[in-house]
Amino acid sequence: MSGSFQAHPPDCEELIDATVTHFDKLLDNSVEPLSFVLFIQELPETTQKIIPKLESNKFKRMHLTIPALEHEYRHGFQYVCNPSEVVVNAPNNMLVYFLQNDAGFLKWGPTPERVEDLVESFKLGQDKEVRYPFCFSKHSN
């Protein structure tokens, strides 16, 4: 298996743990370049046990925190919400972990430029000009 992927599992400790365990197995078994960038909200009830596992993960190449209220995300119900509510100001820190095998690190490693581009993409106001004609009011028929 080869490729560079991103994942943002649901905010559930068991699902995040299962995701990391699955990534570890894939990274262990691939000699091809393989990379996962994992995004998780920093919530005490879901990250208290998973953070130590990620910090000690043998495939962790880097980790960064994107502060709460300094980044945005798209609402998961963007197809039915009011267009003005599609972009949501994040109330929690976003933890970003780069899990890569050696070949994946050589090909897609978190260079300063890549990390800067990633952080920049999360900054407030990036999607203000985007319009979603497929968003429907909660009260539309």
Side-chain angles (χ1 to χ4, degrees), residues 30-127:
S30 180
V31 294
E32 299 294 321
L34 188 57
S35 174
F36 296 99
V37 182
L38 179 67
F39 298 86
I40 56 175
Q41 286 193 78
E42 187 174 27
L43 302 170
E45 63 273 13
T46 60
T47 57
Q48 186 175 0
K49 292 180 183 173
I50 198 69
I51 289 174
K53 181 177 181 174
L54 284 165
E55 286 298 318
S56 64
N57 189 295
K58 69 181 182 178
F59 297 109
K60 179 190 137 202
R61 302 301 178 151
M62 181 183 185
H63 135 255
L64 63 107
T65 301
I66 302 174
L69 305 176
E70 292 184 20
H71 68 284
E72 298 173 325
Y73 62 91
R74 292 178 194 265
H75 195 289
F77 293 115
Q78 63 191 15
Y79 53 92
V80 294
C81 69
N82 184 319
S84 67
E85 298 171 354
V86 169
V87 178
V88 180
N89 199 352
N92 303 301
N93 290 343
M94 179 69 68
L95 305 176
V96 183
Y97 283 87
F98 294 81
L99 305 176
Q100 302 169 314
N101 63 11
D102 290 338
F105 179 69
L106 288 173
K107 189 167 185 173
W108 301 292
T111 64
E113 297 82 14
R114 288 176 177 154
V115 171
E116 183 180 336
D117 287 347
L118 175 66
V119 171
E120 184 69 26
S121 73
F122 273 91
K123 286 192 177 174
L124 301 175
Q126 295 293 318
D127 285 340

